[in-house]
Amino acid sequence: MTAETAAMLPALMVVLAAALWAIQAVGAQLECVDAARAAARAAARGEPLDQVRDVARSATRPDAQVAVTRDPETTKVQITVRVRPAWGSSLPAVRVSASATADTEP
């Protein structure tokens, strides 16, 4: 029983690490969704686009890429963040993004 547990322990640690990384990515996705929604509302009200980008970055991460498109009918905000586990800086980053659209106010 002990030998089987010792052989299986590294595999369990890898699965646990992958699950924690997935949870971190889902949390970043939810942050992006909330930030995109708030930024789209602010941009649709007519606030300056630099201020909208700052609002979005303050709600997610400072290195977030924020794209704002505003036309007379709709306003769209796209936020993209790269998520890398804190314990594995050599691992590749996962790209997480979210977008929100709001009707532009006159």
Side-chain angles (χ1 to χ4, degrees):
M1 180 76 172
T2 304
E4 290 86 3
T5 303
M8 191 172 48
L9 193 58
L12 287 174
M13 295 305 291
V14 168
V15 169
L16 177 63
L20 291 174
W21 189 6
I23 290 170
Q24 182 181 2
V26 169
Q29 171 71 29
L30 293 175
E31 287 176 0
C32 287
V33 168
D34 291 340
R37 190 177 306 137
R41 280 192 304 252
R45 284 192 306 260
E47 294 186 21
L49 296 183
D50 290 337
Q51 186 177 358
V52 170
R53 287 185 189 95
D54 291 340
V55 166
R57 285 191 185 104
S58 68
T60 58
R61 296 172 185 203
D63 62 340
Q65 298 173 351
V66 181
V68 181
T69 307
R70 183 173 17 193
D71 61 36
E73 293 180 11
T74 61
T75 301
K76 182 176 180 179
V77 176
Q78 173 90 24
I79 299 177
T80 304
V81 175
R82 295 177 115 3
V83 179
R84 178 173 281 128
W87 45 264
S89 61
S90 64
L91 293 174
V94 174
R95 197 182 94 172
V96 176
S97 65
S99 63
T101 305
D103 292 333
T104 304
E105 295 181 10

